[in-house]
Amino acid sequence: MTSNFEKIEEIARRRGFFWIGSEVYGGLSGFYDYAHLGSLLKSRWESEWRKFFLGLDDNFFEIQPAEIMHERVWQASGHVESFVDPVVKCRKCGNVERADKLLEEQLKESFEGISMEELAKVIKKHNMKCPKCKGQLEEVGVLNLMFPITIGNDVRAYLRGETAQAAYLNFRREFETLRKRLPLGLAIIGKAFRNEISPRQLITRMREFTQAELQIFFDPEKMEEHRKFGEVKDYKILVMPVKNRENNQIDEVSCEEMTKHLPRFYVYHMAKVQQFFLDVLGIPRHLFRFKELSDEEKAFYNKYHWDIEVKLESIGGFLEIGGVHYRTDHDLGAHQKISKQDMSVFADGRKFVPHVLELSFGVDRNIYAQLELCYKEDRERSFFNFPRRLAPFDCGLFPLVNKDGIDGKAEELKAFMKDCGFSVFYDDSGSIGRRYRRMDEIGVPASITVDHRTLEDRTVTIRDRDSMKQIRIPVADMAETLRKFISGTPIESLGTPVK
Ligand code: GAP
């Protein structure tokens, strides 16, 4: 039986979402190329992210820093020393595997974050062998994930292992130019590079991937407040604290209740993250949760660390697609110490180093989750029911036939819709039924057809991808109708049903 991963991989390749990088040379493990549809979907995801998270505060901005950074950045941040994964090497064939993932795959339970000694014990207890050649495994060791590079002949640097550090280095200047106000948010959407030992599961574990991260610099004395907390106090978030690990139970807890365990500033942002996933990305409520990490599991820079997770069939459980991280002054403090540059600010009559709340998202994992969750099959067809705003195109537009002036009219309406700012997939070949199917297959939410009646009474039909219902509307209303449809209005209420 094909696994979900294989199925998504096959569909992604066949329809043009993504495929392995350097494919003509046999592919390069851990690197993927986004094809035309994948690119469109990803840029839609990113623009929804921008709109939502930069919209949280007038003092939040996006920056686009360099991806190659000074080696001392990563020494200061702790990545050179601590950004490591436990590995085991086969004595016979030399194959290297990530120790915790090897156990996870073979024993079907999570071993993330457990100590090296414990990993070694479990490997010994189960007499684990190399998955490739069944050879004996060496002792558990560690491998650093950073990609070192040499610039020119001798300048050492690293490809950034997370976008976050670039925001920390830019903080001082941005604070000065942005009129010295806190909280200040610096967002980066861009590449991160990690020398993953065993990249796997398509675009969910790669060596080059995209992160969307927002670093919020704030006064630590104000962590118990957020000016908009009142708006979310009764909003319920879905959480799995460490104490629920045994029974895997997800609690629905109001934000007010959550402040008994976490600061208000942190909880407010958890609520916003959940709203983004549920309301903007359309992730079903029962498939979403925040998972608290234990002290052993937390990233070395975090004081509070809750992963953002989505349940996927292919994983047989939850996949981490992001995190809400309270990084304290770990990073600014470290850069201050190593660079000898003052990272403190003067605000409210005090001088202090701001603390950081990080909202971190893996864009590729999100794209994978959307593909898996939105893929549907029924007797007649297969389709992606992407949220309308996220779909690779806003609409398909077709002439019913390529004659009688219908094709010319369709070309004219296509140009008009593009001028109105819509992305339009124009298709004039094959039967109309097949053209609708093609739109369904790539998840385009609406299909507009220009037919003989268009020439007579200046109307067109619009078909809804999900219900396959069609309505007829005046050409003059086309742009407004599509706008309303994309914003979520049901098709039935937008025009006259087509029988
Ligand atoms: N700045 C914090 C940070 O980098 P992280 O948990 O290491 O935190 C953030 O990474 C997100 O990036 C993860 O939640 C995940 O979605 C994504 N991510 C991490 N490693 C990845 C990889 N090898 N391939 C694809 N996505 C990855």
Side-chain angles (χ1 to χ4, degrees), residues 83 161-162 164 194 196 203-207 209 211 213 215 301 320-323 325 327 358 360-362 364-365:
F83 203 39
E162 58 169 356
R194 295 182 188 174
E196 295 281 353
I203 54 173
T204 69
R205 190 169 292 282
M206 294 193 283
R207 290 178 164 135
F209 56 98
Q211 293 185 318
E213 297 193 305
Q215 312 299 323
Y301 42 75
E320 173 208 332
I321 52 173
H325 306 152
R327 297 178 69 138
E358 171 183 65
S360 172
F361 305 80
D364 314 278
R365 289 194 188 176

Side-chain angles (χ1 to χ4, degrees), residues 475-491:
V475 166
D477 297 345
M478 239 166 67
E480 191 47 29
T481 305
L482 189 61
R483 206 160 280 130
K484 284 186 183 153
F485 177 71
I486 290 169
S487 306
T489 311
I491 193 92

Side-chain angles (χ1 to χ4, degrees), residues 12-137:
R13 201 173 337 107
R14 185 156 45 83
R15 295 186 190 168
F17 285 97
F18 61 78
W19 40 67
I20 188 85
S22 307
E23 196 178 15
V24 296
Y25 292 103
L28 191 59
S29 174
F31 299 89
Y32 277 84
D33 291 348
Y34 276 84
H36 68 287
L37 289 178
S39 275
L40 289 165
L41 183 64
K42 190 168 174 232
S43 74
R44 282 282 171 100
W45 191 97
E46 290 171 0
S47 79
E48 289 303 311
W49 187 90
R50 262 187 204 102
K51 219 184 316 162
F52 188 90
F53 287 102
L54 296 183
L56 291 182
D57 194 298
D58 290 343
N59 207 30
F60 287 3
F61 298 92
E62 183 177 359
I63 56 171
Q64 294 189 15
E67 291 170 8
I68 295 175
M69 296 169 77
H70 204 291
E71 68 171 337
R72 293 182 68 198
V73 174
W74 306 98
Q75 288 163 351
S77 69
H79 283 76
V80 170
E81 193 187 312
S82 310
F83 203 39
V84 290
D85 273 343
V87 289
V88 277
K89 190 172 172 191
C90 172
R91 284 184 205 282
K92 197 167 145 200
C93 74
N95 171 39
V96 180
E97 294 278 334
R98 196 170 137 175
D100 52 344
K101 295 289 162 199
L102 180 72
L103 291 181
E104 239 166 73
E105 271 171 16
Q106 306 214 352
L107 303 177
K108 305 282 174 243
E109 49 179 305
S110 172
F111 289 91
E112 194 153 344
I114 76 165
S115 70
M116 305 257 292
E117 294 73 38
E118 281 171 284
L119 280 172
K121 266 192 218 155
V122 184
I123 287 176
K124 202 165 169 196
K125 181 176 159 202
H126 292 274
N127 193 20
M128 316 250 342
K129 296 276 175 358
C130 168
K132 292 223 166 111
C133 74
K134 304 281 170 249
Q136 205 66 34
L137 296 171

Side-chain angles (χ1 to χ4, degrees), residues 72-73 76-77 165 168-169 171-172 329-345 351-354:
R72 293 182 68 198
V73 174
S77 69
Q165 294 303 322
Y168 307 145
L169 297 196
F171 167 72
R172 258 171 18 115
D329 58 355
H330 171 89
D331 302 275
L332 286 186
H335 291 307
Q336 174 168 276
K337 192 164 154 215
I338 304 292
S339 70
K340 309 273 187 289
Q341 304 277 327
D342 187 6
M343 296 286 169
S344 60
V345 300
K351 189 172 182 257
F352 60 92
V353 174

Side-chain angles (χ1 to χ4, degrees), residues 255-269:
C255 287
E256 189 68 67
E257 184 73 17
M258 220 37 212
T259 61
K260 290 184 184 152
H261 313 284
L262 289 165
R264 272 191 154 63
F265 196 75
Y266 191 95
V267 175
Y268 173 80
H269 290 96

